[in-house]
């Protein structure tokens, strides 16, 4: 049984993320926990909650209940179960609370499309979840196709060692969609791998070869900036999903947090699977 937490604000992108997760894990028995976190009206309130009689509370509770009811009615998978979670409080602390209470394996979050030129690739809530919550997170853009990934890219600078706790979720996802696994390393012309990078590469490739046997490849792109290299690779290979490792915060910073829509466009259709160790 896989336990999946889906934060929702009832927007189209959050609902799209839920539908993508249902499709992606159609072959697995799953509990989907749909969580709505309202903001605090008064942060000085010791309880940190709205009064139970508040009309806003009743309205959002009903909206969440309706969403769960509709999702159940349209679910094609008999092995998928849906549960509403409604709270007012601070977003990250509420997420962490439900990770423990419901033994969550994965967080699925929706992101908006390219609505503004200066829009960040990763929004505040999503960025906070990736960096502050120790749980694998699937970031799903609003324009994603509802089909299992055929080509999955793993861009890496090879600067960290990839443990089994990182690699196993990758392989699970690859097998889930019977996907092709493409490892991408961008390097500047004239640069060379350090001994540590060589060792990390060797272990990574040995594990992948032993686990997958076929359906994988390693690609090196020279004389390209990281974001440009990934952009070219995604477009040329028609990539459907991308793996990132939360531990490698410097690399994630370059690709996700420091980037805006006008500089990097693949995020509008490509889900990011961010893996924690």
């Amino acid at each position: 049984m896989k336990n999946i937490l889906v934060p929702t604000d009832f927007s189209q992108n959050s609902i799209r993320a839920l539908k993508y997760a249902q499709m992606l894990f159609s072959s697995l028995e799953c509990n989907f926990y749909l969580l709505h976190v309202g903001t605090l009206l008064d942060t000085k309130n010791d309880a940190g909650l709205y009064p139970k009689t508040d009309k806003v509370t009743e309205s959002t509770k009903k909206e969440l209940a309706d969403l769960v009811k509709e999702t159940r009615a349209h679910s094609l998978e008999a092995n998928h179960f849906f549960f509403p979670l409604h709270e007012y409080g601070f977003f990250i602390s509420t997420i962490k609370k439900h990770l423990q209470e419901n033994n969550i394996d994965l967080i699925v979050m929706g992101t908006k499309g390219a609505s503004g030129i200066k829009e960040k690739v990763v929004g505040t809530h999503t960025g906070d979840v990736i960096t502050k919550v120790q749980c694998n997170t699937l970031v799903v853009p609003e324009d994603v196709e509802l089909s299992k990934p055929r080509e999955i890219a793993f861009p890496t600078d090879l600067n960290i060692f990839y443990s089994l706790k990182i690699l196993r979720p990758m392989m699970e996802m690859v097998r889930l969609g019977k996907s092709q696994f493409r490892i991408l390393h961008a390097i500047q012309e004239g640069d060379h791998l350090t001994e540590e990078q060589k060792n990390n590469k060797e272990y990574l490739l040995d594990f992948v070869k032993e686990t997958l046997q076929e359906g994988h490849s390693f690609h090196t792109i020279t004389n390209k900036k990281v974001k440009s290299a990934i952009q070219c690779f995604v477009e040329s290979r028609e990539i459907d999903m991308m793996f990132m490792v939360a531990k490698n915060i410097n690399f994630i910073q370059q690709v996700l947090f420091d980037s805006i829509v006008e500089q990097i466009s693949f995020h509008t259709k490509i889900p990011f699977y961010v893996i924690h160790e």
Side-chain angles (χ1 to χ4, degrees), residues 192-206:
H192 302 283
L193 294 180
T194 65
E195 285 303 313
E196 183 179 12
Q197 286 176 310
K198 289 178 181 177
N199 291 336
N200 292 338
K201 177 182 176 181
E202 183 179 0
Y203 179 81
L204 174 62
L205 291 180
D206 283 347

Side-chain angles (χ1 to χ4, degrees), residues 59-259:
S59 175
T60 53
K61 279 186 176 180
K62 183 179 185 306
E63 195 168 3
L64 181 61
D66 289 345
L67 175 60
V68 170
K69 183 178 179 180
E70 183 180 355
T71 303
R72 282 178 184 150
H74 290 88
S75 176
L76 301 177
E77 311 303 331
N79 56 351
H80 285 180
F81 307 92
F82 305 91
F83 305 93
L85 300 173
H86 184 283
E87 286 200 27
Y88 283 96
F90 296 106
F91 188 75
I92 293 301
S93 58
T94 303
I95 293 282
K96 289 180 178 179
K97 171 189 171 185
H98 287 289
L99 289 187
Q100 293 190 352
E101 288 185 358
N102 298 295
N103 196 25
I104 298 300
D105 303 298
L106 176 70
I107 300 171
V108 176
M109 296 193 68
T111 60
K112 295 180 180 179
S115 58
I117 291 178
K118 296 297 183 182
E119 179 195 355
K120 288 286 185 179
V121 169
V122 170
T124 302
H125 275 334
T126 305
D128 283 346
V129 168
I130 290 172
T131 56
K132 298 176 183 178
V133 180
Q134 291 293 313
C135 183
N136 294 347
T137 302
L138 183 62
V139 182
V140 182
E142 189 173 10
D143 295 334
V144 68
E145 292 184 11
L146 294 181
S147 59
K148 292 189 178 180
R150 300 170 297 278
E151 296 272 342
I152 298 178
F154 175 38
T156 173
D157 56 12
L158 298 172
N159 281 328
I160 67 170
F161 175 76
Y162 297 110
S163 66
L164 292 179
K165 196 169 181 180
I166 293 171
L167 294 174
R168 281 173 178 160
M170 290 187 187
M171 297 303 102
E172 176 191 2
M173 187 66 74
V174 170
R175 291 197 188 100
L176 202 60
K178 299 179 181 178
S179 313
Q180 301 294 306
F181 184 47
R182 312 300 183 191
I183 304 169
L184 169 64
H185 176 63
I187 190 169
Q188 295 292 323
E189 188 173 358
D191 287 351
H192 302 283
L193 294 180
T194 65
E195 285 303 313
E196 183 179 12
Q197 286 176 310
K198 289 178 181 177
N199 291 336
N200 292 338
K201 177 182 176 181
E202 183 179 0
Y203 179 81
L204 174 62
L205 291 180
D206 283 347
F207 179 86
V208 172
K209 288 174 184 176
E210 183 177 336
T211 306
L212 297 179
Q213 275 93 51
E214 56 185 24
H216 60 86
S217 55
F218 185 91
H219 305 263
T220 301
I221 298 181
T222 58
N223 201 26
K224 287 277 188 180
K225 292 183 179 179
V226 171
K227 283 178 284 192
S228 300
I230 295 174
Q231 184 79 47
C232 293
F233 191 77
V234 166
E235 292 174 353
S236 64
R237 302 293 307 203
E238 296 184 349
I239 298 298
D240 304 298
M241 182 181 286
M242 191 174 298
F243 291 156
M244 305 291 287
V245 177
K247 180 180 178 181
N248 195 354
I249 190 64
N250 291 334
F251 194 68
I252 282 191
Q253 190 81 26
Q254 293 181 64
V255 178
L256 298 184
F257 299 151
D258 290 344
S259 300

Side-chain angles (χ1 to χ4, degrees), residues 20-67:
Y20 184 82
Q22 290 176 255
M23 174 279 305
L24 187 61
F25 298 104
S26 60
S27 62
L28 302 182
E29 188 174 2
C30 300
N31 289 325
F32 289 91
Y33 294 91
L34 279 60
L35 171 66
H36 176 74
V37 183
T39 57
L40 292 169
L41 281 179
D42 184 4
T43 56
K44 295 180 181 180
N45 186 323
D46 291 337
L49 298 173
Y50 285 115
K52 291 181 181 180
T53 57
D54 194 284
K55 291 182 179 179
V56 176
T57 299
E58 297 305 318
S59 175
T60 53
K61 279 186 176 180
K62 183 179 185 306
E63 195 168 3
L64 181 61
D66 289 345
L67 175 60

